[in-house]
Amino acid sequence: RQTEAMENTLLAMADRSPLLETRNTYYGAQGILNKRANELLSACKDTYCQAFNDLVHNKREKTASPDSLELSLVGDQDFEVTLAVDKATSRLRYNCAEEMVALDARIAQLLGRSDLSENDNPLGPRTLCEALLDGIGRMQLEQNVRIVLLNQFDLVLTTELAHIYQSINRYLIDHGV
């Protein structure tokens, strides 16, 4: 529903950008939305469904144990991706804080857990943002374009996600959760 608005935003950002490289990144992201939106959305949906199933069935990779942790340098590109996901996750969680408290409790109950870490909710912003980035990554795009597209999805979700979580909470309440 929002791809046209996202395209227009990217075109406006490209027009205002003083740097050719940044302008080309915005145009590249806009071109993907214009020509390959269905493929992009399908890839994001597929990765989200897989991430959801992995979390529900405890197949998600656990973080390394303290004994096996190593200190290593992080490349600039990896850092930018991590920063973009963290920023998007934090913004979405902040804008949906009230809905997320209730949803985290209900999902924990459905999963048979006493509590649920905010990053372990299969419907939560972290899972959603990581799945979006992974889905975008399946398109074999330049990293800058992937980050721009993630940021565009984040802007759309910022206004939509609270309503979605409210609907899910209402559905779960209506079904006794």
Side-chain angles (χ1 to χ4, degrees):
R1 257 185 16 224
Q2 299 288 337
T3 55
E4 186 176 338
M6 290 166 65
E7 284 184 60
N8 291 336
T9 299
L10 289 168
L11 286 174
M13 291 169 74
D15 287 343
R16 288 190 309 263
S17 178
L19 301 174
L20 179 62
E21 182 180 345
T22 306
R23 207 171 336 167
N24 287 339
T25 299
Y26 291 138
Y27 285 136
Q30 185 273 336
I32 294 299
L33 287 173
N34 186 279
K35 295 179 178 114
R36 299 172 66 191
N38 289 338
E39 181 184 351
L40 175 65
L41 295 173
S42 179
C44 290
K45 179 183 171 186
D46 291 347
T47 56
Y48 178 75
C49 289
Q50 184 62 51
F52 179 92
N53 286 332
D54 289 350
L55 275 170
V56 168
H57 299 295
N58 289 320
K59 293 180 186 173
R60 188 172 182 177
E61 294 177 17
K62 300 292 181 191
T63 56
S65 66
D67 296 337
S68 66
L69 292 177
E70 278 186 36
L71 193 57
S72 63
L73 295 175
V74 176
D76 288 345
Q77 291 182 342
D78 292 336
F79 179 72
E80 282 185 47
V81 168
T82 301
L83 189 61
V85 170
D86 288 347
K87 182 179 166 186
T89 299
S90 296
R91 183 178 337 179
L92 292 173
R93 185 163 273 287
Y94 177 80
N95 288 330
C96 303
E98 187 177 328
E99 294 83 3
M100 285 308 304
V101 169
L103 188 60
D104 285 345
R106 288 187 177 92
I107 296 298
Q109 183 180 1
L110 285 173
L111 295 175
R113 296 169 151 179
S114 59
D115 67 338
L116 190 66
S117 160
E118 67 182 37
N119 291 334
D120 288 339
N121 185 335
L123 296 174
R126 169 67 66 181
T127 305
L128 183 59
C129 289
E130 288 176 350
L132 286 171
L133 188 64
D134 289 346
I136 294 166
R138 287 186 182 183
M139 305 282 295
Q140 304 297 314
L141 305 172
E142 293 177 29
Q143 181 168 333
N144 291 343
V145 173
R146 292 192 314 241
I147 291 171
V148 166
L149 286 170
L150 176 64
N151 288 333
Q152 287 303 301
F153 278 113
D154 176 36
L155 292 173
V156 169
L157 288 171
T158 297
T159 60
E160 302 279 334
L161 201 55
H163 300 295
I164 293 168
Y165 286 151
Q166 288 168 3
S167 297
I168 294 169
N169 274 317
R170 266 191 247 100
Y171 178 84
L172 293 172
I173 289 168
D174 291 347
H175 287 85
V177 180

